Amino acid sequence: MIFLINQINQQLFLIITTTKNQLTAYFLNQQTTFDVPLDLAGTEFQLKVWNELLKIPFGSTRTYKQQAIAVGNLKAIRAVATANGENRISIIIPCHRVIGSDGSLTGYGGGIWRKQKLLELETTQTKLF
């Protein structure tokens, strides 16, 4: 039993350390993708939306309408926005890359100013390379 607990603790430590290192590299303009294991908990629709968020390339944006189309339901724009708002793994699941149809920065749980800073970071980073 103690061996199993130690093994689980080691796995958790590795995941936490890897996540910390990848986030640090992201903010230092050294990383554009994440490959940490994710164990997402949500409704079937939320999981679909979050998996589509993972497909938005670094330095790019997608509108809520485009996101709704990507999940297969144009009429689900508000539901997509709600699912984005329920995302608890922002940055790694990049909900900050979804913007209003008019290009405005709308709806970000961390605050619009953070969404703007993340998009600026990604735009600046893509210009460096």
Side-chain angles (χ1 to χ4, degrees):
M1 180 74 158
I2 292 177
F3 173 76
L4 182 60
I5 292 171
N6 285 337
Q7 188 176 11
I8 292 170
N9 285 339
Q10 288 174 355
Q11 289 173 342
L12 287 174
F13 179 77
L14 179 60
I15 291 169
I16 291 168
T17 302
T18 301
T19 303
K20 176 185 170 275
N21 291 342
Q22 289 186 15
L23 284 168
T24 299
Y26 170 85
F27 284 109
L28 291 174
N29 294 332
Q30 298 170 348
Q31 183 155 345
T32 61
T33 60
F34 300 93
D35 61 5
V36 294
L38 302 175
D39 184 17
L40 304 176
T43 67
E44 183 179 337
F45 182 77
Q46 287 172 327
L47 295 174
K48 195 172 187 179
V49 170
W50 299 336
N51 281 309
E52 282 300 321
L53 287 171
L54 291 168
K55 296 177 184 177
I56 303 173
F58 179 90
S60 299
T61 57
R62 182 184 282 173
T63 65
Y64 288 98
K65 179 179 178 180
Q66 290 170 322
Q67 185 74 353
I69 292 168
V71 299
N73 188 348
L74 173 60
K75 296 181 180 182
I77 295 171
R78 288 180 190 235
V80 163
T82 299
N84 281 4
E86 295 295 322
N87 170 25
R88 299 295 174 236
I89 313 174
S90 59
I91 301 174
I92 293 174
I93 299 180
C95 53
H96 61 278
R97 295 181 188 154
V98 182
I99 60 173
S101 291
D102 62 358
S104 62
L105 303 184
T106 61
Y108 187 66
I112 297 298
W113 69 272
R114 282 192 181 99
K115 183 174 192 168
Q116 181 176 352
K117 291 297 181 187
L118 290 169
L119 292 173
E120 287 172 3
L121 172 77
E122 292 186 7
T123 303
T124 303
Q125 194 166 337
T126 56
K127 291 179 181 176
L128 292 175
F129 300 102

